[in-house]
């Protein structure tokens, strides 16, 4: 496995993701300090962005992975593969937008936004543009062009942050704009229009890549690509459902203003836990092209190495968030703090999801993608069942535990089925030792509270720093030994 290439690309993709997510994190305190928890406004944000994720999965219908799979085949013209993928996603997106606009009133009523159908229309266009961009972002990754990838991602983030700062810090102070601000739920609706504007402008940065649509259209190739992608569509929809069903179902299971208030509290606190989704995405962006191309693609050792390092580094991130929670909790306004207890549960669910992503290569490389759809479907059924049964009883805590249970089931099923159909000797002993170390360090961190003491913020931060260093030391020593070994053989 080319760890140097993986590390380099992960660093660049990770930079765009980490810096971008960090800047987006700055919007969390902006929104939560400006949108009162009792207003339920942040619940609207959480609910509509959950629908946006489902729309994105529907409109991309697995074409990113399909593009990587077919462009990596020696008997396929990669330009034709790219053109076909772009045309199919573009056509589906246009059709979707047309349908939404044709039945906008009915759809808005069904979703509970009869007073603001423009929100639904806005997200329909955002979804179509995001799906179209997804193929072009995949093209940049396939061509190993992380710098342009990062530039476009960062352009969206910086512009979006600037517009949100204007909306919430300046608009309420400008008499001529105050009425507009209040018209859209105290600025809540303007968040969506800012997103639409930013997405539209980023699309202009893809003009050279859009020209690739002129490479041609091969019906036979499209049929084969669709045959491969259809199971991935189900897989993607079910996977996104695992991530968003709680936020979609919550207003239905806990209706009324109180439901939106609780959803807003949960949605705000979950943002702090999204460091896991960030790391998983950055790792996937760099790792996926390596697995699907070149001599590495059929190497079980590549998959074993990827799994080991993913678990080690995500556990480090988990500990970092827990140990520095006394500071991180200030990212949300104090009215939202009652939901902070869900963060460790959500982060573990995200780790399970990342492990499932790494395990998923067995059915992607063996073209058994229907297995992936069935595995994710099982996880989604478990997650939805937990939400339906327990949300009316314990509120948003059921959302956190539902994700934990759903991803946990998907992870276990994928591992055992993968060992049967595409055996990989994962370094379970090494992974298990790091998991055990993390559990011991967590116990030590919470030991004073278990014994009845309540240490101050700085004491907890100092203890957390020491324990985090204890976790990272074995990894650092291992990496140093490997570097010394390589230098001796050089």
């Amino acid at each position: 496995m080319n760890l140097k290439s993986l590390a380099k690309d992960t660093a660049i993709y990770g930079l765009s993701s980490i810096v971008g997510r960090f800047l987006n994190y700055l919007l969390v305190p902006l929104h939560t300090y400006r949108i009162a928890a009792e207003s339920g406004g942040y619940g609207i944000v959480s609910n509509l962005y959950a629908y946006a994720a489902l729309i994105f999965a529907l409109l991309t219908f697995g074409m990113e992975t399909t593009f990587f799979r077919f462009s990596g085949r020696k008997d396929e013209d990669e330009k034709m593969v790219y053109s076909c993928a772009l045309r199919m996603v573009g056509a589906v997106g246009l059709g979707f937008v047309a349908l939404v606009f044709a039945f906008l009133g009915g759809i808005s009523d069904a979703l509970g936004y009869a007073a603001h159908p423009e929100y639904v229309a806005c997200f329909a266009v955002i979804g179509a543009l995001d799906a179209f961009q997804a193929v072009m972002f995949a093209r940049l990754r396939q061509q190993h062009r992380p710098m342009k990838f990062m530039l476009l991602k960062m352009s969206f983030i910086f512009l979006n942050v600037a517009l949100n700062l204007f909306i919430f810090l300046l608009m309420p102070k400008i008499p001529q704009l105050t009425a507009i601000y209040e018209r859209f739920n105290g600025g809540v609706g303007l968040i969506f229009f800012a997103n639409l504007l930013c997405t539209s402008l980023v699309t202009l940065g893809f003009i050279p890549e859009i020209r690739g649509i002129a490479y041609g259209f091969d019906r036979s190739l499209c049929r084969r690509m669709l045959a491969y992608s259809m199971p991935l569509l189900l897989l993607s929809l079910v996977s996104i459902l695992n991530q968003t069903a709680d936020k979609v179902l919550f207003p239905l299971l806990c209706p009324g203003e109180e439901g939106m208030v609780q959803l807003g509290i949960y949605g705000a606190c979950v943002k702090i836990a999204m460091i896991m989704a960030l790391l998983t995405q950055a790792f996937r962006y760099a790792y996926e092209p390596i697995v699907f191309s070149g001599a590495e693609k059929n190497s079980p050792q590549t998959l074993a190495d990827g799994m080991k390092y993913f678990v080690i580094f995500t556990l480090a991130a988990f500990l970092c968030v827990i140990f520095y929670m006394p500071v991180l909790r200030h990212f949300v306004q104090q009215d939202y703090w009652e939901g902070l207890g869900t963060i460790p549960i959500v982060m573990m669910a995200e780790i399970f999801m990342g492990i499932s992503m790494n395990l998923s290569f067995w059915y992607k490389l063996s073209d058994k993608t229907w297995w992936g759809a069935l595995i994710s479907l099982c996880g989604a059924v478990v997650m939805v069942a937990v939400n339906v049964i327990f949300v009316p009883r314990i509120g948003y805590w059921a959302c956190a535990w539902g994700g934990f249970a759903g991803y946990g089931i998907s992870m276990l099923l994928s591992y055992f089925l993968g060992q049967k159909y595409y055996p990989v000797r994962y370094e379970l002993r090494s992974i298990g030792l790091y998991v055990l170390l993390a559990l011991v360090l967590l116990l030590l961190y919470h030991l004073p509270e278990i014994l009845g003491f309540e240490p101050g913020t700085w004491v907890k931060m100092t203890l957390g720093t020491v324990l985090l260093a204890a976790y990272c030391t074995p990894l650092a020593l291992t990496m140093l030994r490997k570097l010394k070994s390589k230098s001796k053989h050089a």
Side-chain angles (χ1 to χ4, degrees), residues 132-301:
F132 194 58
Q133 288 180 15
V135 178
M136 295 182 284
F137 274 121
R139 178 67 165 169
L140 294 179
R141 290 161 55 202
Q142 185 254 350
Q143 293 179 327
H144 298 288
R145 296 168 61 194
M147 294 308 296
K148 181 168 183 177
F149 181 101
M150 181 177 69
L151 177 63
L152 291 173
K153 290 286 186 181
M154 295 303 295
S155 297
F156 173 88
I157 295 296
F158 278 116
L159 182 57
N160 191 46
V161 169
L163 287 173
N164 274 266
L165 289 172
F166 173 77
I167 290 167
F168 288 99
L169 298 182
L170 295 179
M171 281 190 73
K173 299 178 181 179
I174 302 174
Q176 296 87 341
L177 300 178
T178 303
I180 298 175
Y181 180 83
E182 295 299 333
R183 163 72 175 82
F184 293 103
N185 295 101
V188 169
L190 296 176
I191 296 173
F192 314 141
F193 291 106
N195 190 330
L196 175 59
L197 176 61
C198 296
T199 302
S200 302
L201 291 175
V202 168
T203 304
L204 298 178
F206 277 115
I207 289 176
E209 284 71 31
I210 292 175
R211 291 174 182 156
I213 205 168
Y215 289 149
F217 185 77
D218 186 328
R219 290 186 179 180
S220 175
L221 173 62
C222 286
R223 284 195 293 269
R224 285 183 281 118
M225 290 175 70
L226 286 172
Y228 182 86
S229 70
M230 283 303 100
L232 293 178
L233 167 60
L234 179 57
L235 170 62
S236 181
L237 283 173
V238 173
S239 298
I240 292 296
L241 189 64
N242 271 319
Q243 299 175 48
T244 61
D246 52 356
K247 302 173 189 67
V248 170
L249 291 172
F250 199 92
L252 304 176
L253 299 171
C254 188
E257 185 177 338
E258 178 59 26
M260 279 300 181
V261 170
Q262 284 198 43
L263 179 58
I265 292 171
Y266 175 69
C269 291
V270 163
K271 292 289 186 181
I272 300 176
M274 285 300 102
I275 183 72
M276 289 302 169
L278 178 158
L279 289 175
T280 301
Q281 183 185 57
F283 192 87
R284 171 176 164 256
Y285 280 158
Y287 188 44
E288 200 169 51
I290 291 174
V291 173
F292 279 117
S293 64
E296 304 284 355
K297 68 178 181 179
N298 293 317
S299 171
Q301 190 59 46

Side-chain angles (χ1 to χ4, degrees), residues 309-349:
Y309 289 109
F310 174 82
V311 173
I312 290 173
F313 285 111
T314 51
L315 283 175
F318 176 87
L319 293 175
C320 189
V321 172
I322 298 300
F323 293 162
Y324 293 106
M325 187 58 68
V327 170
L328 292 177
R329 65 182 180 176
H330 291 285
F331 268 72
V332 298
Q333 204 265 350
Q334 194 168 352
D335 289 350
Y336 294 83
W337 283 8
E338 66 177 76
L340 292 175
T342 61
I343 291 175
I345 306 167
V346 173
M347 283 197 298
M348 284 307 304

Side-chain angles (χ1 to χ4, degrees), residues 303-313 427 430-431 482:
L303 302 178
D305 288 344
M307 176 67 76
K308 175 183 175 181
Y309 289 109
F310 174 82
V311 173
I312 290 173
F313 285 111
E427 297 184 39
S430 179
I431 292 172
K482 286 189 175 182

Side-chain angles (χ1 to χ4, degrees), residues 56 77 86 129 144 170 185 262 290 299 364 441 454:
F56 178 79
D77 181 348
L86 204 57
L129 289 175
H144 298 288
L170 295 179
N185 295 101
Q262 284 198 43
I290 291 174
S299 171
K364 292 178 181 176
L441 294 176
E454 187 57 46

